[in-house]
Amino acid sequence: MSKLKTQEFMVNMGPHHPSTHGVCRLMLTLDGEKVVKIVPVIGYLHRAIEKICENRTYAQCIPLLDRFEYVTSMSCEYVFADAVEKLAAIEVPERAQYLRVIMLELNRIASHLIFFGTTVMDIGALTPFLYGLRERELIMDLFEMTCGQRLTYNYITIGGVSHDIPPEFIPKCREAVKIIREKLKDYEGLFNENPIWLARTKNIGVLSAETAVAYGVSGPILRASGIKYDIRKNEPYGIYDRFDFNIPTYTHGDAYDRYMVRLDEIRESLKIITQALDGLPEGDIRKKVNPFTFKPPAGEIYNRIENSRGEMGVYLVSDGTTKPTRLKLRGGSYNHLQVLPHVAVGGLVADLVAIFATFDIIMPEVDR
Amino acid sequence: MILASVELIGVFRWLYGLLVELGLEEPWLSVVIYGLLSVTIFGVLCLIALFLVWWERKIAGHMQQRFGPMRNGWHGWYQTVMDALKLLQKEDIRVDTRDRAVFFWAPVICFVAAFLAYIVIPFGDGLIVADLNIGILYVIAITTFTVISLLMAGWGSNNKYALLGGMRSAAQVVSYEVPMVASILTVIVFSGSLSMVDISNSQQGNFIFNWFIFRPPFGIIAFLTYITAATAEANRTPFDIPEAEQELVAGYNIEYSGMKFAMFFLAEFVNMFTVSAIATTLFLGGWHGPLLPSWLWFIIKTLAIVLLLMIFRWTFPRLRVDQLMEFAWKFLVPLTFANLILAGWMKYAGWYW
Amino acid sequence: MTRDELKEYIAGHFEGRLKPLESGRYALLYEVSAADLTEIAQALRDDSKLNLNFLCNIAAIDASDHFEAVYSVASLTGNHRLDFKVILPHDNPEIESTQEIWPAANWYEREMWELYGINILKHDNLTRFLLPDEWNQGHPMRKDWDAPDFVRFPELER
């Protein structure tokens, strides 16, 4: 039999593809089912947030920054407000600090629940997606109760938070914590030992610690690769040094570890929320700052926090006027998408989907 | 029995008598009768397929803490009818770069192959179009036709995702055909016949304990391997890689729209019903059962298997393509063949039956 | 390493090549000359005590009369962080790529090239990225950039 002629072929995965979570486009070169080359193409969601912010006052920037990473909007608000407060040396009232921590951690849980849902959906189990969203709904209700919004909160402002929590927030929040803790066991019962799940995620997309560090990978993915680094612990911001929590770390850096790290992180966040609710003091929720005339002194600062998708940073340059001179946003997904080709090349298309899902990349953070 | 009196077989006997009285002669008698019969079977199957679509959506909904379709009628019972009407009205979008003939014939072949299997499936006592003496062999042969149509759809669409889906389905169906046939052969060893009616009849009596599934260990192993292979044959999760939504968007049917898509869609559900009906005939005693009329028994058993497949679909993650092949060739094939050989040996030695 | 230790260590080992700047808050900010960039970056990463192996961010800044590129680097082992800044002329800004040292720099530099028009030397993939492929309206993040449909808000000084 004469030898059959074969050739590699190109496939555009995205920008409209169910498993690229938004508008990411991956130009794949395939050899049959095997991925030979990946070129990420971004920019479909570029909204020029950085440029628009240069023409807005500091207070006006915050609603815009909600859209920077809309799954965890609280983090975007916090990282900016914190940077401005550090520049202008504003003391944030104690109660506001605690409220911020509660909201940040609730939002982290909400984000990880979405991660759980979308990841298992990308690997083919459609039902748990709804379970993840069901538990997220409890958190969304808490946010709605507090600030009236479910996705883009505009809650953490310069000098504090915009609204105090209503009286029924605390019992509801404790109840949500309890429910989520219970449901986590169900999730783990569904997947942690499931042979199909193990076959699809164990030893898939192994990201070594060296590559991870070299490419600036951060957050849960870095910890899944075996590096115990969490900005909340290593460079505590806000009042995170007051809480007792662990940093879940795994060693293999495969898809399964990335999934496990996030589930464990939900538990740790629940711990933080419980402690913060216990220690919540009475008092002011905001130091009054005039949103129109507020002028931080000239200076520049790189402020970073631990977001659910890794390090979220903002480089803020102030020239002493009401508007920032430069606002550079840094999201974890930006680096994660950059390292994706190094991890996924050589695997199958199905592995690429699993890797993309466990990297938890969302595009607004990349494109800004 | 009131229920038994409405059985189709009675209607057709009456019709046959009427036509003979009117003086109609062969071959026109057969043409009319078989024409009516095929229209009836086709209509019933279309209704079943529509019902299965609705049922799948309800099951998915209830498993996912929601209701599923609720708007059209009681619990949305005619939702799928409206969906089908919508799909009929839709524009048939045809890509310019398609392979015209292949693109057109793929859904037709898929649809026809899905329905042809019902010639030999006994819906009840005497409710069978033709009791072929190679019945089960015929079913295996005709259901494999589906894979040709999927390959045609993949190729004809001139779309890379569709091509990948088509190739995957070819690889998958061909692989899973082997364990499926091997587990079916175990039943044939038990019954000693290829005819669907004979297979059903050999499971008659003794309440329900003459069913082949209750012949441990071979019957139960054959049943489990058959269900696994049948899930793969029907392209359902966890073996739904040909249309893996998150990888290939929609797989082979990505370029199809309107009624052509509906044909694929309905054929998929008819196929699911086919594999369940075969499982019923082979392992669960066919139409035999106490008290209830035969056709009701058949429908109940088949829907029970369908329910099982649906629960699989909404629970399990999806296997990867190479793991799927590994599972078929390294686990299922040796298991089913060992099962078949041991069953045949015991039958030959006469230890068992 | 605490902030003061780090300051002392830098002053001792990189005397003159890393000039401390006062405008930085919260973390140490230094100035590096464009010619020295790769050398210093390499030294910062390879120094066993500093071990600044993690590139957090590269931000380009248009300061009207000149460009700045700010590198924020961190050490995952030593738990410290510093920023350093390269000042570039406004016309024909050029900078050498640091992707050999921190591979993460690749995309940040690409973005800098695209949005600010800072030319990156020895970069392996300077292609259109965030902007559309057929973009020909200059570098939008520059302060003097003005598109026909781009409306500046009036200054809100009260």
Side-chain angles (χ1 to χ4, degrees), chain A residues 6-13 26-38 344-350 352, chain B residues 160-161 163-165 167-168 247-248:
Chain A
T6 59
Q7 72 179 64
E8 294 170 351
F9 69 109
M10 299 262 300
V11 169
N12 260 324
M13 191 167 164
L26 302 172
M27 279 159 64
L28 307 181
T29 310
L30 298 184
D31 178 10
E33 287 263 337
K34 211 173 129 197
V35 180
V36 181
K37 194 178 166 208
I38 303 174
V345 164
L348 302 176
V349 181
L352 172 64
Chain B
K160 285 160 183 167
Y161 284 118
L163 184 61
L164 270 178
M167 292 196 311
R168 279 176 168 199
E247 292 152 31
L248 303 181

Short mmCIF file of all heavy atoms in Angstrom, two decimals, chain A residues 6-13 26-38 344-350 352, chain B residues 160-161 163-165 167-168 247-248:
data_model
loop_
_atom_site.label_atom_id
_atom_site.label_comp_id
_atom_site.label_asym_id
_atom_site.label_seq_id
_atom_site.Cartn_x
_atom_site.Cartn_y
_atom_site.Cartn_z
N THR A 6 -0.50 12.90 4.51
CA THR A 6 -1.22 13.58 5.58
C THR A 6 -0.70 14.99 5.70
O THR A 6 0.42 15.29 5.28
CB THR A 6 -1.02 12.87 6.93
OG1 THR A 6 0.37 12.86 7.22
CG2 THR A 6 -1.57 11.48 6.91
N GLN A 7 -1.51 15.85 6.26
CA GLN A 7 -1.01 17.21 6.48
C GLN A 7 -1.66 17.81 7.72
O GLN A 7 -2.75 17.39 8.14
CB GLN A 7 -1.28 18.09 5.26
CG GLN A 7 -2.73 18.45 5.06
CD GLN A 7 -2.90 19.33 3.84
OE1 GLN A 7 -2.65 18.92 2.73
NE2 GLN A 7 -3.33 20.55 4.06
N GLU A 8 -0.94 18.75 8.29
CA GLU A 8 -1.48 19.44 9.46
C GLU A 8 -2.52 20.44 8.97
O GLU A 8 -2.45 20.91 7.85
CB GLU A 8 -0.36 20.18 10.19
CG GLU A 8 0.65 19.23 10.79
CD GLU A 8 1.86 19.97 11.29
OE1 GLU A 8 1.98 21.18 11.01
OE2 GLU A 8 2.69 19.35 11.95
N PHE A 9 -3.47 20.74 9.83
CA PHE A 9 -4.42 21.74 9.41
C PHE A 9 -4.71 22.73 10.54
O PHE A 9 -4.52 22.44 11.72
CB PHE A 9 -5.69 21.12 8.84
CG PHE A 9 -6.56 20.40 9.82
CD1 PHE A 9 -7.78 20.92 10.22
CD2 PHE A 9 -6.16 19.19 10.34
CE1 PHE A 9 -8.58 20.25 11.10
CE2 PHE A 9 -6.96 18.50 11.23
CZ PHE A 9 -8.17 19.03 11.61
N MET A 10 -5.13 23.91 10.11
CA MET A 10 -5.35 25.00 11.07
C MET A 10 -6.82 25.05 11.44
O MET A 10 -7.69 24.91 10.60
CB MET A 10 -4.99 26.34 10.44
CG MET A 10 -3.56 26.47 10.01
SD MET A 10 -2.60 27.32 11.23
CE MET A 10 -3.41 28.89 11.32
N VAL A 11 -7.06 25.28 12.72
CA VAL A 11 -8.43 25.46 13.18
C VAL A 11 -8.46 26.72 14.02
O VAL A 11 -7.56 26.97 14.81
CB VAL A 11 -8.90 24.26 14.03
CG1 VAL A 11 -10.20 24.57 14.71
CG2 VAL A 11 -9.07 23.04 13.17
N ASN A 12 -9.47 27.54 13.81
CA ASN A 12 -9.66 28.70 14.66
C ASN A 12 -10.58 28.33 15.80
O ASN A 12 -11.76 28.08 15.60
CB ASN A 12 -10.31 29.82 13.87
CG ASN A 12 -9.31 30.83 13.43
OD1 ASN A 12 -8.37 31.12 14.16
ND2 ASN A 12 -9.49 31.34 12.25
N MET A 13 -10.03 28.27 16.99
CA MET A 13 -10.88 27.97 18.14
C MET A 13 -11.26 29.32 18.74
O MET A 13 -10.46 29.96 19.38
CB MET A 13 -10.09 27.12 19.13
CG MET A 13 -10.92 26.53 20.23
SD MET A 13 -9.95 25.29 21.07
CE MET A 13 -10.91 25.12 22.55
N LEU A 26 -8.00 31.11 19.67
CA LEU A 26 -6.77 30.36 19.63
C LEU A 26 -6.60 29.82 18.23
O LEU A 26 -7.47 29.11 17.73
CB LEU A 26 -6.80 29.20 20.64
CG LEU A 26 -7.03 29.55 22.09
CD1 LEU A 26 -7.23 28.29 22.91
CD2 LEU A 26 -5.86 30.31 22.64
N MET A 27 -5.50 30.18 17.59
CA MET A 27 -5.23 29.61 16.27
C MET A 27 -4.47 28.32 16.48
O MET A 27 -3.30 28.33 16.87
CB MET A 27 -4.43 30.59 15.42
CG MET A 27 -5.31 31.66 14.80
SD MET A 27 -4.41 33.11 14.32
CE MET A 27 -3.35 32.47 13.06
N LEU A 28 -5.13 27.21 16.22
CA LEU A 28 -4.53 25.91 16.49
C LEU A 28 -4.01 25.32 15.19
O LEU A 28 -4.64 25.42 14.15
CB LEU A 28 -5.56 24.94 17.07
CG LEU A 28 -6.36 25.36 18.27
CD1 LEU A 28 -7.29 24.25 18.67
CD2 LEU A 28 -5.44 25.69 19.42
N THR A 29 -2.86 24.69 15.29
CA THR A 29 -2.40 23.83 14.20
C THR A 29 -2.53 22.42 14.71
O THR A 29 -1.95 22.07 15.74
CB THR A 29 -0.94 24.15 13.84
OG1 THR A 29 -0.83 25.56 13.65
CG2 THR A 29 -0.54 23.43 12.58
N LEU A 30 -3.31 21.62 14.01
CA LEU A 30 -3.59 20.28 14.50
C LEU A 30 -2.98 19.25 13.58
O LEU A 30 -2.96 19.39 12.37
CB LEU A 30 -5.10 20.05 14.57
CG LEU A 30 -5.92 20.91 15.49
CD1 LEU A 30 -7.36 20.45 15.46
CD2 LEU A 30 -5.40 20.84 16.90
N ASP A 31 -2.49 18.18 14.21
CA ASP A 31 -2.07 17.00 13.47
C ASP A 31 -3.06 15.92 13.87
O ASP A 31 -2.88 15.25 14.87
CB ASP A 31 -0.64 16.66 13.88
CG ASP A 31 -0.15 15.41 13.19
OD1 ASP A 31 -0.84 14.94 12.29
OD2 ASP A 31 0.91 14.90 13.56
N GLY A 32 -4.12 15.78 13.12
CA GLY A 32 -5.20 14.91 13.55
C GLY A 32 -5.88 15.55 14.75
O GLY A 32 -6.43 16.62 14.64
N GLU A 33 -5.80 14.87 15.88
CA GLU A 33 -6.37 15.45 17.09
C GLU A 33 -5.31 16.15 17.92
O GLU A 33 -5.62 16.79 18.91
CB GLU A 33 -6.99 14.34 17.95
CG GLU A 33 -8.28 13.80 17.40
CD GLU A 33 -9.49 14.45 18.04
OE1 GLU A 33 -9.37 14.98 19.15
OE2 GLU A 33 -10.56 14.44 17.42
N LYS A 34 -4.05 15.98 17.55
CA LYS A 34 -2.96 16.48 18.39
C LYS A 34 -2.69 17.94 18.10
O LYS A 34 -2.66 18.36 16.94
CB LYS A 34 -1.71 15.65 18.11
CG LYS A 34 -0.82 15.52 19.31
CD LYS A 34 0.30 14.55 19.02
CE LYS A 34 1.60 15.20 19.39
NZ LYS A 34 2.75 14.54 18.80
N VAL A 35 -2.49 18.71 19.15
CA VAL A 35 -2.22 20.13 19.00
C VAL A 35 -0.72 20.32 18.77
O VAL A 35 0.10 19.85 19.55
CB VAL A 35 -2.64 20.91 20.26
CG1 VAL A 35 -2.35 22.36 20.09
CG2 VAL A 35 -4.10 20.68 20.54
N VAL A 36 -0.38 20.95 17.66
CA VAL A 36 1.03 21.15 17.32
C VAL A 36 1.46 22.56 17.69
O VAL A 36 2.58 22.79 18.13
CB VAL A 36 1.26 20.90 15.82
CG1 VAL A 36 2.71 21.09 15.47
CG2 VAL A 36 0.81 19.51 15.45
N LYS A 37 0.57 23.51 17.51
CA LYS A 37 0.94 24.89 17.75
C LYS A 37 -0.30 25.67 18.19
O LYS A 37 -1.39 25.42 17.68
CB LYS A 37 1.50 25.49 16.46
CG LYS A 37 2.22 26.80 16.65
CD LYS A 37 2.78 27.25 15.32
CE LYS A 37 3.20 28.70 15.41
NZ LYS A 37 3.10 29.38 14.12
N ILE A 38 -0.10 26.59 19.11
CA ILE A 38 -1.20 27.44 19.55
C ILE A 38 -0.74 28.89 19.47
O ILE A 38 0.32 29.22 19.99
CB ILE A 38 -1.61 27.14 21.01
CG1 ILE A 38 -1.98 25.68 21.18
CG2 ILE A 38 -2.76 28.02 21.43
CD1 ILE A 38 -2.24 25.31 22.60
N ALA A 344 -0.12 23.41 26.67
CA ALA A 344 -1.10 22.60 25.94
C ALA A 344 -0.55 21.98 24.68
O ALA A 344 -1.15 21.06 24.15
CB ALA A 344 -2.32 23.46 25.61
N VAL A 345 0.58 22.46 24.16
CA VAL A 345 1.10 21.88 22.92
C VAL A 345 1.54 20.44 23.17
O VAL A 345 2.15 20.14 24.18
CB VAL A 345 2.27 22.74 22.39
CG1 VAL A 345 3.08 21.97 21.36
CG2 VAL A 345 1.74 24.01 21.78
N GLY A 346 1.19 19.56 22.24
CA GLY A 346 1.52 18.15 22.40
C GLY A 346 0.37 17.33 22.92
O GLY A 346 0.39 16.12 22.82
N GLY A 347 -0.62 18.00 23.49
CA GLY A 347 -1.79 17.26 23.97
C GLY A 347 -2.85 17.17 22.89
O GLY A 347 -2.65 17.57 21.75
N LEU A 348 -4.00 16.68 23.27
CA LEU A 348 -5.11 16.60 22.34
C LEU A 348 -6.00 17.83 22.48
O LEU A 348 -5.83 18.61 23.42
CB LEU A 348 -5.94 15.34 22.62
CG LEU A 348 -5.17 14.03 22.56
CD1 LEU A 348 -6.06 12.89 22.96
CD2 LEU A 348 -4.63 13.79 21.17
N VAL A 349 -6.91 17.97 21.55
CA VAL A 349 -7.82 19.13 21.62
C VAL A 349 -8.62 19.09 22.92
O VAL A 349 -8.83 20.10 23.58
CB VAL A 349 -8.77 19.14 20.40
CG1 VAL A 349 -9.69 20.33 20.48
CG2 VAL A 349 -8.00 19.16 19.13
N ALA A 350 -9.03 17.87 23.30
CA ALA A 350 -9.81 17.75 24.53
C ALA A 350 -8.99 18.19 25.74
O ALA A 350 -9.52 18.79 26.68
CB ALA A 350 -10.27 16.31 24.70
N LEU A 352 -6.64 20.46 25.65
CA LEU A 352 -6.57 21.92 25.58
C LEU A 352 -7.78 22.54 26.26
O LEU A 352 -7.67 23.51 27.01
CB LEU A 352 -6.48 22.36 24.12
CG LEU A 352 -6.59 23.86 23.87
CD1 LEU A 352 -5.44 24.58 24.51
CD2 LEU A 352 -6.64 24.15 22.40
N LYS B 160 -13.82 22.24 9.45
CA LYS B 160 -12.83 21.41 10.14
C LYS B 160 -13.40 20.79 11.39
O LYS B 160 -13.08 19.65 11.73
CB LYS B 160 -11.61 22.25 10.46
CG LYS B 160 -10.80 22.51 9.22
CD LYS B 160 -9.88 23.68 9.40
CE LYS B 160 -9.13 23.96 8.12
NZ LYS B 160 -8.47 25.26 8.18
N TYR B 161 -14.24 21.54 12.09
CA TYR B 161 -14.84 20.97 13.29
C TYR B 161 -15.72 19.78 12.91
O TYR B 161 -15.70 18.73 13.56
CB TYR B 161 -15.69 22.01 14.01
CG TYR B 161 -14.88 23.01 14.78
CD1 TYR B 161 -14.93 24.36 14.47
CD2 TYR B 161 -14.08 22.60 15.83
CE1 TYR B 161 -14.19 25.27 15.18
CE2 TYR B 161 -13.35 23.50 16.55
CZ TYR B 161 -13.40 24.84 16.22
OH TYR B 161 -12.68 25.74 16.93
N LEU B 163 -15.45 17.91 10.31
CA LEU B 163 -14.61 16.80 9.87
C LEU B 163 -14.06 16.05 11.07
O LEU B 163 -14.08 14.82 11.11
CB LEU B 163 -13.47 17.35 9.01
CG LEU B 163 -12.56 16.30 8.38
CD1 LEU B 163 -13.36 15.40 7.48
CD2 LEU B 163 -11.45 16.95 7.61
N LEU B 164 -13.58 16.81 12.06
CA LEU B 164 -13.08 16.16 13.27
C LEU B 164 -14.17 15.33 13.91
O LEU B 164 -13.94 14.20 14.32
CB LEU B 164 -12.60 17.22 14.26
CG LEU B 164 -11.15 17.65 14.16
CD1 LEU B 164 -10.87 18.72 15.19
CD2 LEU B 164 -10.23 16.48 14.41
N GLY B 165 -15.37 15.90 13.97
CA GLY B 165 -16.48 15.17 14.58
C GLY B 165 -16.80 13.91 13.81
O GLY B 165 -17.01 12.85 14.39
N MET B 167 -14.80 12.16 11.87
CA MET B 167 -13.74 11.17 12.03
C MET B 167 -13.82 10.50 13.40
O MET B 167 -13.65 9.30 13.54
CB MET B 167 -12.38 11.83 11.86
CG MET B 167 -12.12 12.29 10.46
SD MET B 167 -10.41 12.63 10.12
CE MET B 167 -9.94 13.66 11.47
N ARG B 168 -14.10 11.34 14.40
CA ARG B 168 -14.21 10.78 15.73
C ARG B 168 -15.34 9.77 15.80
O ARG B 168 -15.19 8.69 16.37
CB ARG B 168 -14.51 11.89 16.74
CG ARG B 168 -13.30 12.66 17.17
CD ARG B 168 -13.77 13.77 18.07
NE ARG B 168 -12.65 14.40 18.75
CZ ARG B 168 -12.80 15.12 19.85
NH1 ARG B 168 -13.99 15.29 20.37
NH2 ARG B 168 -11.77 15.68 20.42
N GLU B 247 -15.68 20.99 22.77
CA GLU B 247 -14.45 20.88 21.98
C GLU B 247 -14.72 21.22 20.52
O GLU B 247 -13.99 21.98 19.91
CB GLU B 247 -13.90 19.46 22.08
CG GLU B 247 -13.38 19.14 23.47
CD GLU B 247 -13.48 17.66 23.76
OE1 GLU B 247 -13.37 16.86 22.84
OE2 GLU B 247 -13.68 17.31 24.94
N LEU B 248 -15.78 20.62 19.98
CA LEU B 248 -16.02 20.75 18.55
C LEU B 248 -17.23 21.60 18.25
O LEU B 248 -17.77 21.55 17.15
CB LEU B 248 -16.22 19.37 17.94
CG LEU B 248 -15.09 18.39 18.15
CD1 LEU B 248 -15.41 17.08 17.49
CD2 LEU B 248 -13.80 18.94 17.59
#
